[in-house]
Amino acid sequence: MSYVKCLRGKESGIEYPITPRTSCDLDFSPVEVVYDYERMKGRVTRKSIEAGPQSLWRYKDLLPIEGEPKTGFHSGWTPLVRANRLAAELGLKELYIKDDSGNRPSFSYKDRVVAVAITKALEFGFKAVGCASTGNLAHSVAAHAAIAGLPSYVMVPYDLEEGKIVAMRVCGPNLVRIKGNYDDVNRLCSQIADKYGWGLVNVNLRPFYTEGAKTHGHEIAEQLGWRLPKHTVLPVAGGTILPKVHKGYQEFIQLGLVEDNQPVFHAAQAEGCCPVAKAIREGKSDFKPQKPNTIAKSIAIGNPADGQYVIQDIKKTGGFAATANDSEIIDAIQLLAKTEGIFTEPAGGTTLACAIKLINDGRIPRDEPVCICITGNGLKTIEAMNGRFPHVEPIEPRMDAFDAMMNSMPARADAN
Ligand SMILES: Cc1ncc(COP(=O)(O)O)c(C=O)c1O
């Protein structure tokens, strides 16, 4: 039996039964899954979690599903890397990378939210699923729908990276390319949900879908040896992951699984799409929508559904926000790969570039433990690195050609 009690309007407090729902009827604000944490106490323990599978389903008691998981058997439980070489570069004492670039099956944090949403879609009896997406979500929905044997309809802006389009199409979804940006796609998708009766993971399944993002935070805490980092830096697009990682930490504190070290959250956005970061920097509690123009397409959402909750959590925890321009994003992608061997996409480059600014500005003290969350994979966005590397002329397969090439190289670090 699950610990889920009901859905509740975040602003109105109105309670709703567990059925597909986009928002609160009264004020259109998001609805949130409510759990019986009292009943969990003494039952959901470090030991019970550690006995679970090596996937996000080890946190099943804290997720809104009733029966057994239907997909996502290999999603989650991604590495938490102690990033010593990057830490040395940034002058930090204790740095971790939560690396969702290798998440399964679709190589981004979205596999967490989709695993929950598609399981829920099957519990509700939907015969088809879909989403509005900036790319990674569409790839994840296509892959999980394939695993679950459901048809899928994925709706994306027309100008996505080729790698993402191929990666999603190979899973066999019905792809709908829309002449507009994500905010246009999302608006259309909300109308489609009512008309066609599909389970749209980030529309009428949204309350359940967003809960999957908590597991990114649950894992950080467990993999750190049941403690929380002092600072967590996360990218912001629609505003799902940051408040949900915060909720994940708070759940563990409430259940007595970790000590409350007053964790601080920081937001990262691209300069070309930063409604939330701008509001935080200006001390405002609400954001003004923007028209995106950035290389970080996966986080190019100008009117984020949960943006105000990001602002609230940043303020509440004493964190801050930073932005990075395209060239800083690319530099950070390369720095992460050169120090830790992790190839992330522009969303991850944004997160690292912003973390560096927050450190240099003293918002993140160098002697406090930091976790930087890497949420996507660079192999899906290789065009972002276009022009970054000089052409390498091929040589003949002979020793003299190799020696000549070596002699023409600039001073080498490995030469004695
Ligand atoms: C790679 C990647 N990181 C982060 C995000 C942030 O998403 P959100 O703020 O909506 O949770 C997205 C959203 O599409 C993404 O694709």
Side-chain angles (χ1 to χ4, degrees):
M1 200 170 83
S2 92
Y3 293 95
V4 173
K5 283 179 26 180
C6 60
L7 296 177
R8 186 184 290 151
K10 256 182 114 111
E11 301 302 322
S12 68
I14 295 174
E15 294 190 352
Y16 297 98
I18 299 295
T19 56
R21 167 168 290 280
T22 305
S23 58
C24 176
D25 289 340
L26 184 75
D27 54 18
F28 304 107
S29 67
V31 286
E32 188 84 7
V33 177
V34 180
Y35 300 87
D36 188 347
Y37 293 113
E38 275 313 306
R39 202 160 61 80
M40 280 187 208
K41 281 188 183 152
R43 293 192 172 99
V44 181
T45 61
R46 290 180 181 180
K47 222 170 143 191
S48 74
I49 290 171
E50 284 165 356
Q54 295 209 333
S55 73
L56 60 84
W57 295 117
R58 65 202 282 110
Y59 310 106
K60 178 168 165 274
D61 288 334
L62 290 151
L63 294 171
I65 69 164
E66 292 303 319
E68 289 304 308
K70 304 283 193 303
T71 177
F73 306 110
H74 306 287
S75 304
W77 204 240
T78 57
L80 182 76
V81 177
R82 177 81 197 243
N84 287 336
R85 293 200 65 237
L86 181 58
E89 197 74 31
L90 305 183
L92 288 176
K93 206 164 143 199
E94 192 178 344
L95 173 64
Y96 301 89
I97 300 288
K98 179 58 177 166
D99 182 13
D100 266 8
S101 71
N103 207 356
R104 300 307 314 266
S106 76
F107 306 99
S108 85
Y109 113 76
K110 299 288 177 176
D111 286 323
R112 300 176 181 279
V113 282
V114 174
V116 176
I118 303 264
T119 296
K120 208 64 204 165
L122 286 166
E123 285 185 3
F124 286 139
F126 282 110
K127 298 285 183 281
V129 292
C131 64
S133 169
T134 53
N136 283 314
L137 180 58
H139 181 193
S140 186
V141 166
H144 285 272
I147 293 166
L150 283 172
S152 64
Y153 295 83
V154 297
M155 283 150 268
V156 298
Y158 68 100
D159 64 345
L160 286 191
E161 301 93 340
E162 197 53 30
K164 281 192 187 141
I165 294 288
V166 173
M168 71 181 77
R169 290 197 83 174
V170 77
C171 301
N174 297 286
L175 170 66
V176 185
R177 294 173 69 220
I178 290 165
K179 292 180 191 167
N181 61 31
Y182 173 80
D183 299 298
D184 300 311
V185 177
N186 194 36
R187 218 171 304 116
L188 177 66
C189 220
S190 307
Q191 295 163 358
I192 289 169
D194 294 337
K195 184 154 179 187
Y196 287 84
W198 298 333
L200 296 180
V201 303
N202 53 345
V203 183
N204 53 356
L205 294 170
R206 190 170 181 87
F208 312 100
Y209 153 97
T210 55
E211 286 292 287
K214 294 187 308 190
T215 64
H216 189 90
H218 292 149
E219 287 176 19
I220 292 170
E222 184 180 348
Q223 291 169 325
L224 257 184
W226 297 104
R227 72 188 171 101
L228 301 175
K230 183 65 189 169
H231 299 270
T232 304
V233 189
L234 284 148
V236 174
T240 296
I241 189 168
L242 191 148
K244 289 294 173 166
V245 169
H246 181 243
K247 184 176 176 184
Y249 285 1
Q250 294 306 318
E251 286 179 332
F252 274 14
I253 291 169
Q254 193 174 341
L255 291 170
L257 304 182
V258 296
E259 204 175 293
D260 185 1
N261 69 341
Q262 308 279 310
V264 180
F265 281 80
H266 304 272
Q269 291 204 297
E271 208 168 282
C273 184
C274 60
V276 168
K278 187 165 182 290
I280 291 166
R281 285 197 300 222
E282 292 172 356
K284 302 204 170 118
S285 54
D286 224 337
F287 63 87
K288 238 171 93 185
Q290 292 181 357
K291 227 181 174 68
N293 179 17
T294 167
I295 193 175
K297 293 180 195 232
S298 62
I299 51 169
I301 297 184
N303 190 10
D306 292 316
Q308 79 182 93
Y309 301 108
V310 174
I311 298 170
Q312 277 176 18
D313 284 346
I314 299 285
K315 278 196 175 161
K316 205 161 39 188
T317 66
F320 207 59
T323 59
N325 65 32
D326 287 356
S327 110
E328 291 165 336
I329 291 169
I330 300 297
D331 285 348
I333 289 176
Q334 201 168 358
L335 176 64
L336 182 62
K338 283 177 94 162
T339 51
E340 301 297 336
I342 297 168
F343 182 20
T344 188
E345 64 146 271
T350 305
T351 311
L352 176 55
C354 290
I356 293 171
K357 290 187 177 180
L358 293 162
I359 294 160
N360 290 339
D361 291 347
R363 297 273 176 186
I364 297 179
R366 289 193 150 84
D367 58 349
E368 294 183 354
V370 183
C371 180
I372 297 175
C373 300
I374 295 299
T375 49
N377 191 303
L379 290 171
K380 289 201 255 179
T381 58
I382 50 170
E383 53 272 69
M385 307 310 284
N386 277 351
R388 186 75 181 184
F389 308 109
H391 172 74
V392 176
E393 193 59 33
I395 61 166
E396 295 300 328
R398 290 193 324 262
M399 204 55 213
D400 62 331
F402 189 81
D403 288 341
M405 180 208 69
M406 290 302 284
N407 287 332
S408 72
M409 273 194 171
R412 292 174 13 229
D414 60 338
N416 45 25

